[in-house]
Amino acid sequence: MKIMVIGGGGREHAIIKKLKESPKVDIIYALPGNGGIAADAVCVDIGAKDIDGAVKFARENNIDLAVVAPDDPLVMGMVDALEEAGVPCFGPDKKAAIIEGSKVFSKKLMKKYGIPTAKYEVFDDMAKAMEYLETAPLPAVIKADGLALGKGVVIAQTRDEARAAVRSMMEDKVFGESGSHIVIEEYLEGPEVSVLAFTDGKVIIPMVSSMDHKRAHDGDTGPNTGGMGTVAPNPFYTASIADECMEKIFLPTLEAMNAEGRSFRGCLYFGLMLTNYGPKVIEYNCRFGDPETQVVLPLLQSDLVDIMLATRDGTLSDTEVRFSDGAACCVIMASDGYPQKYEKGYEISLPSPMPADVQIYVAGARLAGGELLTSGGRVLGVTAVASDLRSAVSKAYGAVGNVVFENAFYRRDIGQRALRAL
Ligand code: AMP
Ligand code: GLY
C-alpha cells in the first residue's frame, strides 16, 4: 500500500513508525514531514494545510490511504476533499471535526446530550461578558471559540485577569476571529487524563490512557506548552473510572454526533478531568494528541493500517485493537526558551546504537548536508517502553542523556506524579 501522512511533528513521526510495522505498507509519504521523519518516510514539500496540493499529490501517486493527523486540515475539510477525489482517509470529515474546531459547538453538544463537563456561558458581546465576570466564580476559565494552537485558554485567578483575557480575545483579537465568541466556564480540579479512542461511528475503542505534562518547568510550573512529556498508562484512570467514562462520556458522545448528523470516524481525543464529582470533559480533539501519541502508539500491538481502514469502512467491531500491558514514557527535548523565544540551527547527535525499546520521534529538525539541525521549539521526543512505568521513565531519561544538542532543555520530572500515584 501507498500511504501518505499529513503533518510534520513528533505525533506524525510516531504514526509513521507504527504504520511501517505493518506488512501491508510499501511506501509512506509525509506532507511535509521533517528532517527526522525523512529517515522513515519520503518527505514531500507540501504544507499540512495545503488541501489542493494534498489532493493533487494523492491522485498522481495513487495513494491508498491518507492519514490526516493535525487539527487545522481536518477542521478545514481536507478529508472531505480527498474522499471526494477517491482517496480513502483516516480522520473525521469537516462536519465531525467541528467537535474540536468550535468550543461553542462542543459545549452545546455536551449540554444537549447530558455529557458531564464544566458549567459554562457563551458570549459574543463583550459588555455582557464583562457584566457576567462581576459575579462569576473564580478562578474563571476563558476560552476562545476556535482553534488557537492550544493557547486559547486562560485560567484567571482574579477578576482583573479575567477581564484582561476577555479584552484581549474579543477586542484585541489576539486569536483572530476565534475570539469573536468566547466560553467562560467553571474551573475544574482533579487529575487530568487523556484518552484517545478509535471510532468508526458505530463502536468506540479507547486506547491506553495517558498523562500529558503541559507546563514548561518542573513541578508543573511555568507557561503552558504544547506538552513537555507524557506517560501511559495514566494511573489515575482506573478500570472503574474507565467503565464510567465509557457509559457517561464515550458512548454518549458517539451517539450525540450521530444524532446531529455528524458521525465521527477516526481518532477522538477526550481530555478529561477526574473531579470529586466524577469524570468531566475538558476538551475534545478530533485527532491524535501530541505528545500523547508518542506513548500510546508504541504500546499498540495490532496492525495500525487495519485499524485505520476499519474506522473508515465501519468495520471496527471486527478488527483487533490490542495494547501491551507495559508502560511508556516520552520526554520532550526542546530548545531553551520554548515556548517563548529560542535559538535554533544546532546540530543534533543521537545515541548510537539506539538502546532497545527506545524510539526518537522528531518534531522540529531539518536536514542540512546530512546533519540534523534543530528547527523548532519542541525538537524531539525520547520514548521508552518497559514492563512498568518506573523502568520506562528511567530508560527514557537514560537515553535523553545521550541525545546532545546545544541549548537543549527538558523537564526532569516527567512521570513523577504518575509514579507517586501508583
Ligand atoms: P484546552 O485547550 O481546552 O485543552 O485547555 C488547555 C488546558 O487548560 C487543559 O489541558 C487544562 O489543563 C486547562 N483547563 C481547560 N479548561 C479547564 C477547566 N474548566 N478547569 C480547569 N482547567 C482547565
Ligand atoms: N497534548 C494535547 C493536544 O494534543 O492537544
Side-chain angles (χ1 to χ4, degrees), residues 8 27 32 44 64 81 118 160 180 200 222 224 230 249 271 273 283 294 317 319 331 336:
I27 185 162
V44 182
D64 300 301
D160 279 344
S180 305
D200 59 358
N224 253 317
T230 35
I249 296 174
M273 195 75 97
E283 62 162 345
Q294 290 92 309
S317 64
T319 306
V331 179
D336 193 21

Side-chain angles (χ1 to χ4, degrees), residues 103 118 141 143 150-153 155 185-189 192 214 224 273 282-283 285:
K103 293 202 193 285
V141 181
K143 302 187 172 184
K151 296 180 193 115
V153 176
I155 297 174
E185 70 178 29
E186 166 200 20
Y187 177 75
L188 298 177
E189 272 174 294
E192 249 182 283
K214 288 193 183 185
N224 253 317
M273 195 75 97
I282 293 195
E283 62 162 345
N285 291 328

Side-chain angles (χ1 to χ4, degrees), residues 177-380:
E177 277 318 302
S178 175
S180 305
H181 309 279
I182 63 163
V183 172
I184 301 182
E185 70 178 29
E186 166 200 20
Y187 177 75
L188 298 177
E189 272 174 294
E192 249 182 283
V193 181
S194 304
V195 180
L196 283 52
F198 291 113
T199 175
D200 59 358
K202 298 187 214 162
V203 295
I204 185 158
I205 305 184
M207 301 177 221
V208 60
S209 63
S210 54
M211 181 193 290
D212 196 359
H213 297 68
K214 288 193 183 185
R215 302 295 205 92
H217 303 135
D218 286 1
D220 295 319
T221 57
N224 253 317
T225 70
M228 293 302 293
T230 35
V231 294
N234 184 324
F236 292 100
Y237 190 71
T238 60
S240 77
I241 292 176
D243 288 344
E244 190 180 353
C245 289
M246 180 55 89
E247 184 202 331
K248 294 184 179 155
I249 296 174
F250 305 158
L251 286 172
T253 300
L254 183 75
E255 283 155 16
M257 290 298 276
N258 287 338
E260 295 291 311
R262 297 176 183 274
S263 186
F264 191 102
R265 294 162 186 226
C267 172
L268 184 51
Y269 168 129
F270 299 86
L272 305 172
M273 195 75 97
L274 306 181
T275 75
N276 288 338
Y277 308 95
K280 296 192 179 187
V281 177
I282 293 195
E283 62 162 345
Y284 292 114
N285 291 328
C286 65
R287 50 166 177 90
F288 282 101
D290 189 343
E292 284 89 342
T293 307
Q294 290 92 309
V295 285
V296 169
L297 286 188
L299 296 173
L300 177 66
Q301 293 176 322
S302 310
D303 189 313
L304 183 57
V305 176
D306 287 344
I307 296 171
M308 287 185 159
L309 291 172
T311 67
R312 173 183 182 269
D313 296 337
T315 54
L316 197 54
S317 64
D318 307 326
T319 306
E320 182 198 75
V321 181
R322 189 166 34 87
F323 284 85
S324 108
D325 53 14
C329 170
C330 174
V331 179
I332 297 292
M333 298 183 73
S335 303
D336 193 21
Y338 171 77
Q340 281 108 19
K341 236 170 65 98
Y342 53 85
E343 285 170 13
K344 51 194 185 183
Y346 297 113
E347 197 179 318
I348 303 167
S349 143
L350 298 177
S352 168
M354 197 65 76
D357 301 321
V358 171
Q359 299 271 6
I360 307 257
Y361 300 121
V362 177
R366 63 187 172 86
L367 276 174
E371 302 291 352
L372 204 51
L373 304 181
T374 64
S375 70
R378 287 192 296 176
V379 174
L380 53 85

